[in-house]
Amino acid sequence: MIRTRTDGDVRIVTLDRSEARNAIRPEDLTALSEVFERSETDGSPPVTYLHGAGDAFCAGADLDAVAALDDPAAFARRGQRVATAVEESPTVVVCGVDGAARGGGVELALAADVRVATPRATFAEPGVSLGLFGAWGGTGRLPRVMREGDALDFALSGRVLDAEAALRTGLVSRVVDDPRTVADEIAGGASDALAAIKRRIRDRRDVEAQERAEAEAFARLHDAHADEITRRRGE
């Protein structure tokens, strides 16, 4: 179900189970985890583009698999591991949502660095209708991405947000016809700067530690790009 390929400075990761709207089974979580954890050591391009095949991004966890779980906590932890691997990937992860993102699909998107929707994208956390909720790290990430009130409304109601509502609430940062173009745009930046920006913005330590790391990263980049900075001074 998980396909990967490289196109220039962008690695493309495709959820490819379109007949099931890319619903995720336990074995798919294992494959996704391997893809994103491997990027730490395999010299992956600086940007990863995550998207779904067919007319949906991801319908969430496969309900047949959920109904058959004998260890639901282990399943939740496996999903959390995948979302953490996406969030902590050394590459910048751009998630392109075209069509439906539901439940675990929303949680995968939340773990990405940049979320971009097409005009026909829709988002929902329908788990509450089954007596469940998104447990792949979504309860922690959702209020960091949206305002807490919007996050509670979204998760508690199970309502569907269209692309414009997702943009208004901060769930996505852009609505475009082709989200892949955003990945290409970001990949045009210097790879070391992209990685440094991601690390600094993702830093959850105290302010003093964040600012010290920020200054050190800036100094490293300044030294690495001194010639280019000098060349462009007069532009």
Side-chain angles (χ1 to χ4, degrees):
M1 175 200 171
I2 311 302
R3 292 191 291 108
T4 64
R5 66 183 179 91
T6 298
D7 184 7
D9 287 331
V10 179
R11 178 181 62 166
I12 301 168
V13 178
T14 305
L15 308 178
D16 192 4
R17 193 179 172 224
S18 57
E19 72 280 3
R21 299 170 78 218
N22 304 318
I24 297 175
R25 302 160 297 185
E27 60 265 36
D28 304 317
L29 288 175
T30 298
L32 270 173
S33 181
E34 290 173 353
V35 166
F36 282 95
E37 290 176 353
R38 192 171 63 240
S39 67
E40 297 183 15
T41 58
D42 66 0
S44 294
V47 174
T48 296
Y49 178 60
L50 174 65
H51 74 127
D55 61 1
F57 169 64
C58 175
D62 184 287
L63 288 183
D64 288 339
V66 171
L69 290 175
D70 56 7
D71 190 345
F75 182 67
R77 288 193 294 270
R78 188 181 294 189
Q80 291 165 358
R81 178 180 174 184
V82 171
T84 298
V86 172
E87 187 174 68
E88 295 182 353
S89 169
T91 69
V92 174
V93 180
V94 177
C95 181
V97 178
D98 184 27
R102 298 289 185 269
V106 172
E107 294 191 279
L108 281 180
L110 287 170
D113 302 304
V114 179
R115 288 165 297 282
V116 184
T118 71
R120 62 190 211 94
T122 60
F123 302 80
E125 284 278 15
V128 66
S129 67
L130 302 173
L132 297 172
F133 64 92
W136 293 351
T139 54
R141 290 186 180 92
L142 193 60
R144 294 203 298 261
V145 168
M146 307 166 77
R147 293 177 303 181
E148 185 174 288
D150 288 332
L152 283 163
D153 183 347
F154 179 58
L156 292 171
S157 68
R159 70 190 182 103
V160 177
L161 300 183
D162 63 17
E164 290 302 322
L167 182 65
R168 287 196 303 272
T169 59
L171 187 54
V172 301
S173 59
R174 306 193 207 185
V175 177
V176 299
D177 291 330
D178 183 2
R180 167 65 198 277
T181 62
V182 177
D184 291 335
E185 174 190 330
I186 291 172
S191 59
D192 54 353
L194 295 177
I197 292 167
K198 171 171 177 169
R199 285 195 299 270
R200 298 284 56 80
I201 291 179
R202 290 290 199 186
D203 193 341
R204 308 281 183 216
R205 295 176 297 173
D206 63 83
V207 172
E208 182 178 351
Q210 289 180 33
E211 290 183 345
R212 183 169 58 251
E214 183 182 63
E216 291 169 353
F218 179 80
R220 286 194 299 272
L221 290 171
H222 182 275
D223 291 346
H225 296 278
D227 292 345
E228 177 68 5
I229 294 167
T230 298
R231 184 184 69 78
R232 296 185 61 177
R233 249 187 336 178
E235 292 182 3

